[in-house]
Amino acid sequence: GGYSEEQLMSDRMKVELSSGVRGASTLMTSARDSYSDDEKKEIIQLECALASTKCRMDLENTVCDVDGDKLFSTDSLAAVARKASLAATKTHQPIGDLKVSSSLALTSRAQFGVPYLQALSAWSGMYLTPWPFCTIGQARTILRNARDSITAAGKAWGRPTNSKIEQIFLHTAEADLEGGLVGGFVIEAERLYKRVLDLLAEDDVSVESYAATMLKTHCLLGLGKLYLYDAERLSK
């Protein structure tokens, strides 16, 4: 039952390969730990810039030209919403598993608007059923991250916190999740829809007229659904 020369050579190669993999892993870990703080910052910023660009490109690719008209592909929008929902809810892992502070990760993502873009894409309420791939807990987390990133950008670079257009979109997205997803607070949804309508009525809100009409219609439809739900509940 002895080993042949070929089997011995094969076993030796396996041992050497395993040792080589462990050595490479150790080398990569050592290299990763050798990055300076400035290099880590540049790497995490690069990752965030790529994530932001990818999100914007995905949104741009949902537009298709039909007889000279620019139309949105609902299938493409659904794919973007799904990818954004997954990306926004997964545990953040920097490139190369770099060990960076949570504040650096937050400010870097905020610098390029990643959480805000992901929130708008995951919501997709102006074109699809709002929050098509999220539970209410996931949707709340995504919105909280978007708001936290805006606050972080204000603290880090003096960026104006929550412009009115950002408030309008985030309030509308939150109203949709509270009023449309299982476990939501209907009273909060009503308050937020009305808040968006008030913001749209203000003179200094720079929203293109067609977009403003779409947003008003969306909020009025949302309020109508809430009132119908309430009337049905009271009639039972």
Side-chain angles (χ1 to χ4, degrees), residues 41-200:
K41 184 176 180 180
E42 289 179 0
I43 292 172
I44 192 70
Q45 286 179 333
L46 172 61
E47 178 198 14
C48 294
L50 291 172
S52 175
T53 301
K54 179 68 167 60
C55 197
R56 293 173 187 272
M57 288 178 61
D58 286 342
L59 288 171
E60 289 176 3
N61 290 336
T62 63
V63 181
C64 54
D65 194 320
V66 179
D67 297 329
D69 294 326
K70 300 293 184 182
L71 302 176
F72 286 99
S73 165
T74 53
D75 288 342
S76 297
L77 282 166
V80 170
R82 183 177 181 276
K83 285 193 290 185
S85 300
L86 291 171
T89 53
K90 74 176 182 180
T91 303
H92 183 244
Q93 294 289 342
I95 290 175
D97 293 331
L98 289 175
K99 295 178 181 178
V100 297
S101 66
S102 58
S103 61
L104 174 58
L106 176 60
T107 54
S108 297
R109 288 166 63 79
Q111 182 178 4
F112 295 95
V114 176
Y116 181 73
L117 289 171
Q118 288 176 338
L120 293 184
S121 300
W123 165 50
S124 297
M126 300 303 295
Y127 305 99
L128 305 171
T129 300
W131 304 104
F133 301 102
C134 293
T135 64
I136 192 163
Q138 291 171 329
R140 284 172 175 163
T141 298
I142 292 171
L143 277 179
R144 183 174 62 253
N145 290 341
R147 288 194 167 104
D148 287 348
S149 74
I150 292 172
T151 301
K155 291 180 179 178
W157 304 288
R159 180 190 184 279
T161 302
N162 262 13
S163 68
K164 287 189 177 179
I165 189 63
E166 287 169 341
Q167 290 182 49
I168 286 170
F169 279 115
L170 292 177
H171 286 342
T172 306
E174 186 175 3
D176 283 345
L177 78 88
E178 297 295 353
L181 299 183
V182 176
F185 297 112
V186 174
I187 294 176
E188 183 66 5
E190 180 181 357
R191 183 189 71 80
L192 288 165
Y193 282 133
K194 289 179 178 179
R195 176 58 180 152
V196 172
L197 292 173
D198 289 341
L199 286 170
L200 289 170

Side-chain angles (χ1 to χ4, degrees), residues 28-39:
M28 290 177 66
T29 301
S30 300
R32 186 168 65 237
D33 293 340
S34 68
Y35 286 127
S36 68
D37 289 342
D38 287 341
E39 288 172 331

Side-chain angles (χ1 to χ4, degrees), residues 1-29:
Y3 283 96
S4 67
E5 185 176 349
E6 289 80 4
Q7 287 174 316
L8 288 171
M9 289 292 293
S10 177
D11 289 345
R12 183 180 299 172
M13 288 177 65
K14 289 179 182 178
V15 170
E16 290 176 353
L17 179 60
S18 177
S19 299
V21 170
R22 287 197 299 271
S25 177
T26 302
L27 182 61
M28 290 177 66
T29 301

